[in-house]
Amino acid sequence: MNTEASLIDSALRGWKANVDRTTKLFDALTEEQLLEQVAPGKNRLIYLWGHLAASSDALLPLLGLGPRLHPELDSIFISNPDGHFQNLPTGAHLKRIWNEINDALWTAFSNLSSSDWAQRHTAVSEEDFKLEPHRNRFTILLGRTAHLAYHFGQAKLAQQR
Amino acid sequence: MNTEASLIDSALRGWKANVDRTTKLFDALTEEQLLEQVAPGKNRLIYLWGHLAASSDALLPLLGLGPRLHPELDSIFISNPDGHFQNLPTGAHLKRIWNEINDALWTAFSNLSSSDWAQRHTAVSEEDFKLEPHRNRFTILLGRTAHLAYHFGQAKLAQQR
């Protein structure tokens, strides 16, 4: 494997490891447990799961991989804070969506070449990209991996109670 | 910038962004606030800070960049859980150590080439590395960035109270 391919491989392993541990944590929770807050007055577990699902779904168009699968998640889990809506999707429903989104991402990720990863993402113009070449797909992948880990760390606090 | 250099640049930016937001969060806390738990029964903020400092310090030998600067942190912040020792270092002391470790890492990181990053880290043998070439410096960098984000997410819960 050449250096470029090796660097991409590391990042994809990091993404996958964070998706997998997040999946494992949420999968093991009951619908009742998903309604618990991660700390007093903080987001509920179900909200964090939906927030991560919406955030990952948004990667599809951001990375130029295809249209959103579940844009309906944004109003509930991104644009509005936890508690804004009375009824959230069930854990069973989120589980299906979460797996669907992650399968789509993983398939698409596996088809990108090293140079594809170093190309601009769709939220930056060609002109801006010349000035800021770090605004590429790879930076987004790494940032979203950290985002996953950030909220996984929070969810972990509730899981261990 | 070629593709390899661009991928490394993204990862170093990700590391730095996570260090910087962690620094900013902890720097703003008083000694009293640092003794608060991130959630009931969970680690105190001072423990998370020390844990991250010890973890980052350990990167120096792991990545072959030099000896530990503060191996004394491990007993307090890695090998033993929060609450094991009566007296922890003060926030003022940890702040100095944290900055010292991060400055040393950043200088060393900046001197590594793309192919240096794709080389094995010191905890894997040459033989094992042939079978598992992903056990390289870059994988460690990405993993530790996620580790930083994981605990930063937890610390953030306490900061916003």
Side-chain angles (χ1 to χ4, degrees), chain B residues 55-91:
Chain B
S55 170
S56 291
D57 193 54
L59 284 176
L60 289 164
L62 183 59
L63 298 179
L65 306 173
R68 296 283 303 257
L69 297 175
H70 293 283
E72 77 281 3
L73 295 173
D74 284 17
S75 164
I76 314 173
F77 295 114
I78 304 251
S79 324
N80 289 293
D82 191 11
H84 183 81
F85 289 104
Q86 280 289 333
N87 293 312
L88 296 189
T90 61

Side-chain angles (χ1 to χ4, degrees), chain A residues 19 36 65 67 76 101:
Chain A
V19 168
E36 290 174 14
L65 306 172
I76 313 173
I101 293 167

